[in-house]
Amino acid sequence: MAHPIITLPLLFLSFTMFSSSLLCSARTVKISDVCSKHPNPYNCNNILNSVPGASLGADLNSLSRYIITSAHVYAFDTITLVHNLTRSINDKQLKQRYQACSMDYDDVLLSLTQAQQSFVNGDYKGMKSNGQTALKDVQDCDWKPGNDQSDLPNKNKYLEDVINIIIVLADFLAGVY
């Protein structure tokens, strides 16, 4: 039997080598592979190519973290726009639309927070499900009646594209692709 003074350092060294091999073997994907699964590959390419370093191949975990955070920031910016529009509009129909969108975006922010938490916990099915819920809420805002001349429809479309990337990334992380 080996002496404990020798066994402990060997166990530590083995654990360190195993852990670092796991960290170094992060799964990378090509943007083209991710975007081939997206409903709008062109927009997906534009979005992912704007991520620093992603054009060379992206680590799925880093890319997912970045995209979820970006979606959350963008949703927060959009709800700020909705609140400003609600305060400044006189048209009753548009005011009601913006108020409904405000509630939709409260749900979007909650779903993106839950998607982030699911990602952190390694629950990629939950990440996808929360992404799908956020996507539905953005689409609900986009389908409200009214002749909207603001930037809200464009912001909704962009966020839909970003959230669809989250959904695709969740499938990659879960091993579907």
Side-chain angles (χ1 to χ4, degrees):
M1 177 174 217
H3 194 275
I5 291 180
I6 295 173
T7 307
L8 287 176
L10 287 175
L11 284 174
F12 178 76
L13 181 61
S14 297
F15 176 75
T16 304
M17 289 173 57
F18 176 74
S19 298
S20 63
S21 71
L22 286 176
L23 291 173
C24 293
S25 65
R27 185 169 170 212
T28 59
V29 292
K30 295 180 193 171
I31 288 176
S32 59
D33 292 340
V34 172
C35 292
S36 71
K37 311 297 184 203
H38 191 278
N40 189 332
Y42 178 80
N43 288 353
C44 176
N45 261 321
N46 287 338
I47 292 165
L48 290 182
N49 277 316
S50 72
V51 175
S55 62
L56 303 173
D59 163 53
L60 272 173
N61 286 325
S62 299
L63 186 60
S64 297
R65 185 176 299 108
Y66 185 93
I67 292 296
I68 293 170
T69 301
S70 296
H72 201 272
V73 168
Y74 199 81
F76 185 79
D77 289 346
T78 304
I79 198 171
T80 301
L81 171 68
V82 170
H83 290 162
N84 290 337
L85 291 170
T86 302
R87 283 191 295 270
S88 66
I89 196 79
N90 291 324
D91 180 309
K92 280 189 169 234
Q93 187 179 17
L94 277 176
K95 189 177 217 69
Q96 288 175 341
R97 175 179 187 245
Y98 295 147
Q99 289 169 338
C101 282
S102 178
M103 290 187 292
D104 291 330
Y105 267 88
D106 284 341
D107 294 340
V108 168
L109 288 168
L110 175 62
S111 295
L112 289 173
T113 299
Q114 291 171 337
Q116 174 71 33
Q117 192 59 49
S118 295
F119 167 72
V120 167
N121 292 334
D123 176 14
Y124 306 125
K125 185 177 177 183
M127 178 181 160
K128 180 178 181 176
S129 174
N130 286 302
Q132 290 168 326
T133 301
L135 180 63
K136 182 189 175 307
D137 289 325
V138 172
Q139 291 168 338
D140 285 350
C141 175
D142 207 32
W143 287 103
K144 303 291 188 238
N147 184 19
D148 191 348
Q149 299 299 315
S150 75
D151 199 29
L152 182 59
N154 293 332
K155 287 186 170 289
N156 284 339
K157 180 60 185 141
Y158 181 82
L159 191 56
E160 285 178 33
D161 287 332
V162 173
I163 293 171
N164 272 312
I165 293 170
I166 293 169
I167 293 166
V168 171
L169 290 172
D171 280 343
F172 271 93
L173 287 164
V176 173
Y177 304 120

